[in-house]
Amino acid sequence: MMENCLDIGTIQAFVDGELDHGQSARVSAHAAICNACSLMLAEADDQSALVFSALDREFNTLVPTQRLWNKINDSIVTERESRPFWQKAYAFLTVALVNPSFAAAASLLIVIGIFSALWINRTPDTANITRTDLPNTQPVQQISPATLSATRDSSAVPDNESTATPAPTYRVERAAFRPEPRRIVSQPAAITASVTNSTGYMPGEESYVKTISSLAKTVEEQKDGGIMRPSERIAYERDMAVVNDSIVKMRQEVKRNPRNESAKQVLYSSYQNKIDLLNSVTQKEDLLVSLK
Amino acid sequence: MTKIIEKLISFIAVAIILAGVPLLVLSQQRPPATHAPPDVLIGVPKKGLYERPYVGERDTSEKSIKADSQIIVELCVNQGKVKVNGWNRAEARVYVSDGNKFVFNVREKSAKTGDPNWVKVIGSDTSKGMYPKGECISANEIDIDVPINATINLRGHEITTDIDSVRKVEIKIAGGQISLRNIANGITAYAGQGGITVEASTGPMLLDSTNGNIVIFEARPAELGDIFRAKTTGGTISLQGLEHRQVEASSISGSVVYGGQIRNGGSYSLTTNKGSIRMSLAINASFQMQATYRAGNFNSELPIKLQTENIQEGPIKTIVGKLGTGDASIKLTTNNGSISIRKL
């Protein structure tokens, strides 16, 4: 027996499906390598099967248990928390606009807002700008470059003339400025390719991972739907733990030595096994549905 | 003056928005707590996936139909023992003991003979309405006799199946044992929770079990190129007297055992993730072998000439060797187990 063997409470909770996903995975992984615990697991499974068969009629009456309600409520809370902000806002508006008073008030607010925006951002009158100069300012003279250079070179212009001229006062007007829309420039292909390479997958591995990912989603829904008996569930989790363990070890080995063809072969074989294992659940589900 | 008006309008607009939105939010009625039972019960086991259907009044009946020699017989069985036997008559007979009634549904007739060459056996409801809806038969025992060249297409729930002396079998059951004997031209079998045994059969074979063992005694190809593929997740695969040239056997947490000839030009792939691989081969066999294992060992009683051994560093060990002229190719892979080759 190993030091960190499972206690009977944990095993029973595992058989009853009361552990969360992480704990279940840990129990499965441990049971896969510990004979004593797998024996205890099998015994607990047998006992559960006996009890389940005796209570089969009660279990099949479709009366949701308290545990089920807790699960439902938990999943509702989780779903609410994980919902993005825009969905919440959309839901709020959808519900709120049903109320006529709210709709009227919202419309009023929108009208006021639009009116205010138009008023504040109205286009400035260019003619008015030129005439807003104060009366004592000099009219602007067009100076040619030649005149300008001559003026610079000439020292005949008395200094007191410029100093005597009163400094013009200017009124600051809001400029009608609109930023140019940002142009999105597509990244060069080389950069994209380097990102793809940086995912760390070996050639061909990504397709396995994607297939497994999509299958796993389906299977996670199906296996909690009563398709598997406790004994089948244990066997499934055990086999999954074996395959996952193999994948992890082989990936480490391939990462350490990318030229190790044998490790790659075992890794791909393990991926294929995982796909087969996941497929076995969907295949069974399909068969049972076709028999209904 | 204009500036003052502008500021005033801006202030009013902002004040209305700031004050109005919270007031409107507060004025909304809060929706009632939605912890009432939803229409669809999430997580409730689907009723009846493993539930034995209510059969009600049981009956014993027998029916027969004239049949083409290459008839396809299709049926679905919910529970019971199914026994199919081939005979030398142009007739199909179905005997149901202690089960629901059934009818023959003729799907197609032969253009040559005019006899049915595709028949579906369908469970029928009684006038009392006590039998389960659907096409599946529930019975204690179902005996079927069909022409020896018939094809059997069987789907089942929890059944024990025994099929003997027919041309072809396609079977898919959720649980129970499958035994097949003297099948002439191919087998496709899937057992969700149970084993598959094949004996003295020929043709391509695709055998798939989830948690059962797969056992083969004497199987050979009907044509060149017929493949043999056996796959189980948690069971052992035992192949004895297999003569196919293309053999693939894989298990996840079970052992793979092979005993018999190695055909010239054949390709043999035996794989397991957690289990041992044992081969018993004749001393005069000729093959090129690659054995890959991680935790375990390799031993051979045959004088295999090693070509390379563990050329890569790391936990994975690979042995490449050759016996005779190396006509066949054998690939043995186990992640956690030993590989052994013995004399037959």
Side-chain angles (χ1 to χ4, degrees), chain B residues 157-176:
Chain B
H157 211 277
E158 290 284 330
I159 59 175
T160 305
T161 316
D162 197 347
I163 301 177
D164 192 350
S165 304
V166 295
R167 190 169 67 92
K168 195 173 180 182
V169 173
E170 288 174 18
I171 179 168
K172 249 183 165 186
I173 60 171

Side-chain angles (χ1 to χ4, degrees), chain A residues 150-162:
Chain A
T151 312
R152 278 179 187 162
D153 295 338
S154 169
S155 56
V157 180
D159 286 340
N160 57 351
E161 196 174 317
S162 62

Side-chain angles (χ1 to χ4, degrees), chain A residues 5-23:
Chain A
C5 273
L6 306 166
D7 58 69
I8 189 67
T10 309
I11 286 174
Q12 196 57 52
F14 176 73
V15 170
D16 293 343
E18 290 171 345
L19 297 181
D20 61 28
H21 187 70
Q23 287 175 320

Side-chain angles (χ1 to χ4, degrees), chain A residues 32 62 68-69 109 119-120 122 225 227 229 232 239 246 250 253 257 259 262 265 273 284-285 290-291, chain B residues 6 10 13 16 37 42 44 46 50 155-156 158 193 253 273-274 290 294 312 315-316 318 333 335:
Chain A
L62 277 176
L68 175 64
W69 281 120
L109 274 178
W119 177 266
I120 291 164
R122 69 190 188 282
I227 187 172
R229 296 167 175 162
E232 290 175 65
D239 293 336
S246 174
M250 289 307 108
E253 178 55 26
N257 180 8
R259 291 184 179 180
S262 304
Q265 183 192 322
N273 280 337
K284 192 167 189 181
E285 166 83 5
S290 77
L291 292 171
Chain B
E6 279 175 12
S10 302
I16 287 171
I42 305 160
V44 175
K46 288 172 188 171
Y50 280 105
R155 287 180 301 128
E158 290 284 330
Q193 182 82 10
S253 55
N273 237 299
K274 192 183 176 191
Q290 180 186 324
R294 190 176 64 87
Q312 295 280 354
I316 303 289
T318 304
T333 308
N335 188 32

Side-chain angles (χ1 to χ4, degrees), chain B residues 74-152:
Chain B
E74 208 177 312
L75 75 158
C76 167
V77 179
N78 259 326
Q79 63 179 80
K81 288 181 185 172
V82 181
K83 200 171 176 183
V84 181
N85 188 49
W87 62 3
N88 283 316
R89 289 192 204 173
E91 182 186 359
R93 181 191 72 97
V94 178
Y95 170 82
V96 174
S97 163
D98 199 18
N100 57 331
K101 289 183 176 173
F102 64 94
V103 292
F104 287 117
N105 180 359
V106 178
R107 293 293 184 92
E108 198 177 280
K109 288 186 176 179
S110 166
K112 283 183 184 176
T113 60
D115 295 330
N117 61 5
W118 182 11
V119 169
K120 199 165 181 180
V121 183
I122 297 175
S124 61
D125 294 347
T126 62
S127 56
K128 294 176 184 174
M130 295 178 74
Y131 291 102
K133 297 280 182 190
E135 297 180 342
C136 298
I137 300 172
S138 295
N140 189 18
E141 275 185 34
I142 300 169
D143 279 354
I144 301 172
D145 293 311
V146 291
I148 208 158
N149 278 325
T151 296
I152 301 296

Side-chain angles (χ1 to χ4, degrees), chain A residues 174-202:
Chain A
R174 185 186 297 274
F177 170 73
R178 285 186 185 176
E180 283 184 24
R182 289 177 66 187
R183 281 184 296 172
I184 297 164
V185 181
S186 61
Q187 286 184 329
I191 297 172
T192 324
S194 71
V195 171
T196 313
N197 291 338
S198 68
T199 52
Y201 290 123
M202 293 183 305

